[in-house]
Amino acid sequence: MSLVEVVAALGILSVAILGMVYTQIFTLRASNHSKGRQIAVQACRSHLNQARFQLRQNFSANPQTAGWQSEAVTSLPSLQYLIQEVTPNPNPWPDLKVIEVSVRWNDRQGD
């Protein structure tokens, strides 16, 4: 083998290795984002179930409906949620109650 062939082979090998490294980094980021989304969905379901339980009471007097609240989750420390009662317009049934739960967080990449 000549020196040109060795340099060309090393170039091709380095491009392949960089591609594999990039793929691993992308996979790790996607995994972390998916994990954060899963935790947020679980928190959302938990708060939605609490809101359903409190529907028979005066929902607007609930302290959880007072703006964005923080949740202490060790794997997702920036998790915040907002629970609010939404009045549909037009409201076909006067006793209809609609609950909206919003969840937001920042993952390690700041997304």
Side-chain angles (χ1 to χ4, degrees):
M1 285 181 80
S2 69
L3 184 60
V4 174
E5 292 173 331
V6 171
V7 170
L10 285 176
I12 293 171
L13 184 63
S14 66
V15 168
I17 289 174
L18 284 175
M20 289 177 13
V21 168
Y22 177 76
T23 302
Q24 287 295 320
I25 291 171
F26 179 78
T27 302
L28 285 174
R29 284 185 181 170
S31 175
N32 286 337
H33 184 72
S34 176
K35 183 178 178 182
R37 183 178 293 262
Q38 181 181 11
I39 291 169
V41 167
Q42 289 173 348
C44 184
R45 284 183 180 162
S46 172
H47 292 296
L48 186 58
N49 286 334
Q50 288 175 4
R52 283 181 184 154
F53 179 74
Q54 295 170 354
L55 276 177
R56 298 189 188 274
Q57 302 168 0
N58 184 6
F59 184 78
S60 59
N62 182 1
Q64 288 186 342
T65 62
W68 286 97
Q69 304 290 321
S70 294
E71 172 113 0
V73 178
T74 54
S75 57
L76 204 60
S78 63
L79 180 74
Q80 294 182 327
Y81 64 93
L82 174 66
I83 301 174
Q84 53 189 343
E85 185 175 3
V86 180
T87 304
N89 191 10
N91 190 352
W93 302 285
D95 293 334
L96 177 67
K97 294 184 179 182
V98 178
I99 305 298
E100 183 177 286
V101 179
S102 302
V103 179
R104 66 182 180 192
W105 75 96
N106 288 330
D107 55 13
R108 291 182 183 155
Q109 288 83 26
D111 295 339

